[in-house]
Amino acid sequence: MTGVSLQLQPNPEGLAQAASDFISEQVRTKPDLSILVATGHTPMPTYAELARRVEAGEVDFSRVTAVQLDEYLGIDDDDPRSLWGWMRRSFVQPLGITRTVRLKNPHQFEAAIRNLGGLDLAILGLGPNGHLGFNEPPSAMDAPTRTLELTPASLESNRAYWGELTVPAGAITAGMNLILAARQTLLLVSGVRKRGILHATLEGPETPEVPASFLRRTALTVIADGAAWT
Ligand code: F6R
């Protein structure tokens, strides 16, 4: 696992502290950091802890650019299921971020990332099927930013977010090409449900069937809680 750092934490609170330390350090080193931002459940305690640190004046995100990782298709801007809305509520607004890149059109999005000079940091969760963003298996290393149909596994895992609402079948995702080109990648993994796929990600073959396995080619930091690894 060349270039891979695995940090184990006893519980989700420890994960949030360690991930906040990592992200804060990156922002202190490069205040105009460009960050690809996962939503989903895993990073939420981390984002809450970062917001606390911003509030306490311990770190300053005002020059950071937050880049959207993925979105559903066919929903209105004010739809409660909008991942743009989720990213704004959980990350952009509480951290005082004013610069954002929204994911709507693949070509414009990739051009915007090029204009930024690439991504400095990708904060990622791990799909139960090994997806990154909505790069569903199989996704090759050079899979571009694109629209796609979600797999049954992702429709099922995303159901946990929206209660009675249905999960949209179509999605758009930042490509594997952009994620794997980020200067640093941070993969956050929590809970026993992710144990099998985390081992496959770090120890199995690098394969499009487990898109996250390609992260081993990047400067990857994995922060996992004990339930997700042992
Ligand atoms: C969310 C996203 C997804 C999630 C993944 C894990 O923006 O891109 O890839 O990171 O499905 O989700 P949780 O953290 O809810 O288990």
Side-chain angles (χ1 to χ4, degrees):
M1 295 197 296
T2 322
V4 178
S5 155
L6 173 62
Q7 298 182 22
L8 295 180
Q9 293 294 326
N11 50 42
E13 294 73 30
L15 188 161
Q17 289 294 333
S20 297
D21 288 348
F22 181 92
I23 297 163
S24 299
E25 190 51 40
Q26 302 271 322
V27 173
R28 286 193 196 98
T29 305
K30 187 173 187 288
D32 62 347
L33 208 70
S34 57
I35 309 179
L36 190 66
V37 181
T39 53
H41 284 152
T42 312
M44 292 305 132
T46 299
Y47 298 166
E49 171 60 15
L50 287 173
R52 190 200 64 71
R53 294 182 188 196
V54 167
E55 183 72 21
E58 296 169 18
V59 61
D60 178 7
F61 279 72
S62 61
R63 292 177 56 202
V64 161
T65 300
V67 180
Q68 187 177 9
L69 170 61
D70 46 15
E71 184 57 281
Y72 301 117
L73 295 177
I75 55 167
D76 292 337
D77 278 0
D78 59 357
D79 190 292
R81 295 165 294 181
S82 158
L83 298 183
W84 170 249
W86 193 355
M87 176 179 115
R88 286 182 55 77
R89 285 190 304 277
S90 63
F91 193 83
V92 172
Q93 288 163 349
L95 272 53
I97 292 171
T98 57
R99 298 165 207 206
T100 53
V101 176
R102 188 170 181 176
L103 174 53
K104 282 212 148 183
N105 169 292
H107 180 73
Q108 285 169 6
F109 181 79
E110 294 219 348
I113 304 300
R114 277 196 299 278
N115 283 341
L116 281 174
L119 294 163
D120 292 313
L121 172 64
I123 304 174
L124 301 162
L126 180 61
N129 61 355
H131 73 205
L132 292 177
F134 282 139
N135 287 283
E136 298 278 45
S139 283
M141 288 177 57
D142 60 356
T145 300
R146 65 203 184 283
T147 60
L148 69 153
E149 294 292 306
L150 293 177
T151 60
S154 293
L155 290 172
E156 179 58 33
S157 67
N158 278 231
R159 213 160 274 144
Y161 305 149
W162 311 121
E164 297 296 299
L165 298 174
T166 56
V167 181
I172 181 169
T173 186
M176 293 294 290
N177 57 341
L178 294 178
I179 293 172
L180 297 176
R183 290 177 194 94
Q184 298 273 342
T185 53
L186 175 64
L187 182 66
L188 305 180
V189 193
S190 177
V192 65
R193 176 175 84 92
K194 300 285 179 69
R195 190 181 288 172
I197 195 65
L198 179 55
H199 280 277
T201 295
L202 297 182
E203 298 173 331
E206 289 183 21
T207 165
E209 298 304 327
V210 182
S213 63
F214 293 123
L215 286 174
R216 280 143 56 186
R217 295 172 172 239
T218 70
L220 171 64
T221 300
V222 182
I223 306 180
D225 63 17
W229 181 252
T230 43

